[in-house]
Amino acid sequence: MYLFVYGTLKHNCVGHQLMGNATFICSTRTSRKYAMVDLGPFPGVVHDKHISLITGEIYNIEYGLLCKLDDYEGKWYFRSEVPMENGMTAQMYFLKDIPSSKKNKSFLIPSGIWEDKMDEKAKGTVENILCTKKNLSPGHQDTLAYEVHNNLYLNITNRCSARCTFCIRDMADGVYGYDLWLSREPTLEDMITHLRALDLKKYKEIVFTGFGEPTTRFSVLLSITAWLHEQGIKVRLDTNGHAALINPGTDVVGELRNAGMDAVSVSLNAQNEELYDSLCKPVFAGSYQAMLSFARQCIAAGISTRLTVVKVPDVDIEACEKIAKDMGASFFAR
């Protein structure tokens, strides 16, 4: 029986002696994306959050040892068979939920590599990116798309890699009378079925924006974009520009261009990194520079690019507009 381990059970890690006479097979990654979180002395992986491929090791173990490891992992975890990048399948431990005692002390590891724990100053609580509203009202209906200003806006996730101090979702349940909290993330099939029922030609453009950062669901975003592009419909992405950090190892801008993305609107929000970190509270270290780099790459790729800011105290609108002008982007203050 094959077991995939990604934390303390790996070679040279504190729990490896528990592996007994298990036979090492290879190092590899999962073929699907999950979310690895740092729980302090050990990691966990969340099954239904899709952040990164998980790096670890495969061992061949006997059933008796597997039962002992089940006891070792304890009540916080469950085990499931998972496909690997190298074509193998193996059992893997997942968190049932982030334990309540750890929720304010758990941190996302965006690379999916246990050794890549960030230093304390760079950490953002995992709930910042795995955020969804609890206790939705009875009869709640998810809003997958909504019409405003002759545009159609797509609401594909509530997850975000920042917690901006001015974010509308901390003040209301939606915009223009639409409730944008989702009870679950819509599948690609959900979105395409919904869009097929609409007269898409009547909209100026279709825009990815809602109560979350669309690039946390990058593959779904690309598939919908390509489907719309084939029909000659203009598509725009409203984004915080963290896509390369959320999707490490991916040519994000190249894939957006190839899918047919026409325009991006990037949230600049501050004239310098210090103010940006204070206002936007990003999960990832280096988010401000990553956002600027994303915008520059979009311009170089021929994607129409706009930088935006929200008019809040301490934001120097003129300085922000100069940043946009110097890189060749348009600018809008909201």
Side-chain angles (χ1 to χ4, degrees):
M1 179 180 300
Y2 292 127
L3 177 69
F4 176 77
V5 298
Y6 52 82
T8 59
L9 294 176
K10 291 200 300 183
H11 183 67
N12 289 332
C13 291
V14 65
H16 184 70
Q17 71 273 12
L18 296 171
M19 296 296 286
N21 60 355
T23 303
F24 174 76
I25 303 299
C26 63
S27 296
T28 188
R29 300 190 300 179
T30 59
S31 65
R32 298 172 184 167
K33 290 183 177 181
Y34 305 104
M36 178 179 280
V37 294
D38 176 7
L39 298 172
F42 54 89
V45 171
V46 180
H47 186 273
D48 61 349
K49 305 297 181 182
H50 313 297
I51 306 299
S52 60
L53 304 179
I54 307 301
T55 296
E57 301 168 350
I58 293 180
Y59 289 84
N60 192 359
I61 69 172
E62 297 179 352
Y63 180 74
L65 176 56
L66 186 65
C67 293
K68 292 179 180 178
L69 293 176
D70 285 348
D71 291 339
Y72 169 73
E73 296 294 352
K75 63 181 181 181
W76 286 354
Y77 293 86
F78 71 94
R79 183 166 38 80
S80 181
E81 190 166 76
V82 171
M84 297 293 153
E85 196 173 53
N86 64 359
M88 297 178 68
T89 59
Q91 294 288 314
M92 177 176 170
Y93 289 102
F94 291 96
L95 283 169
K96 294 177 182 176
D97 192 8
I98 299 172
S100 57
S101 62
K102 296 286 185 179
K103 282 193 174 179
N104 293 327
K105 301 175 183 178
S106 56
F107 303 99
L108 183 73
I109 303 175
S111 67
I113 303 172
W114 169 231
E115 291 81 1
D116 286 355
K117 295 188 290 183
M118 296 175 283
D119 71 35
E120 293 298 325
K121 292 183 179 178
K123 288 180 175 179
T125 59
V126 69
E127 289 191 332
N128 285 354
I129 194 166
L130 306 183
C131 172
T132 188
K133 187 179 181 182
K134 305 296 183 183
N135 302 320
L136 295 172
S137 61
H140 172 86
Q141 296 291 317
D142 289 346
T143 300
L144 306 188
Y146 58 103
E147 299 181 33
V148 183
H149 307 312
N150 296 318
N151 291 336
L152 183 70
Y153 294 87
L154 305 184
N155 183 37
I156 64 173
T157 186
N158 287 162
R159 288 184 283 154
C160 191
S161 54
R163 178 151 298 180
C164 298
T165 56
F166 47 80
C167 185
I168 186 66
R169 68 185 191 178
D170 290 330
M171 311 171 198
D173 286 338
V175 295
Y176 300 105
Y178 297 97
D179 187 334
L180 300 183
W181 286 111
L182 296 167
S183 61
R184 65 175 181 86
E185 290 187 329
T187 65
L188 173 62
E189 292 73 19
D190 290 336
M191 295 303 300
I192 297 299
T193 298
H194 189 78
L195 291 171
R196 285 186 190 278
L198 303 176
D199 178 10
L200 301 179
K201 297 290 186 181
K202 73 178 183 179
Y203 302 112
K204 290 190 302 183
E205 57 185 350
I206 294 184
V207 186
F208 288 94
T209 192
F211 255 15
E213 168 51 43
T215 61
T216 60
R217 303 195 68 202
F218 196 56
S219 62
V220 172
L221 184 154
L222 290 176
S223 296
I224 296 172
T225 299
W227 184 80
L228 292 169
H229 179 71
E230 289 175 358
Q231 301 175 66
I233 295 170
K234 185 177 180 182
V235 187
R236 187 180 89 212
L237 166 65
D238 286 2
T239 176
N240 61 22
H242 300 173
L245 299 175
I246 296 169
N247 303 278
T250 302
D251 179 10
V252 169
V253 173
E255 294 203 26
L256 287 172
R257 178 195 59 212
N258 293 340
M261 185 64 67
D262 297 287
V264 296
S265 182
V266 184
S267 298
L268 173 62
N269 286 336
Q271 65 272 16
N272 59 56
E273 188 166 17
E274 181 180 6
L275 180 59
Y276 181 89
D277 287 347
S278 174
L279 290 176
C280 298
K281 303 185 184 303
V283 168
F284 303 114
S287 290
Y288 185 71
Q289 295 303 324
M291 173 269 299
L292 294 175
S293 177
F294 172 81
R296 293 189 187 99
Q297 290 176 45
C298 285
I299 293 168
I303 301 173
S304 177
T305 304
R306 178 180 71 173
L307 299 186
T308 69
V309 298
V310 175
K311 295 179 181 178
V312 296
D314 298 324
V315 173
D316 186 331
I317 302 298
E318 291 185 2
C320 290
E321 186 170 10
K322 184 177 187 303
I323 291 172
K325 181 179 179 181
D326 287 349
M327 74 166 60
S330 60
F331 179 77
F332 181 67
R334 294 180 279 133

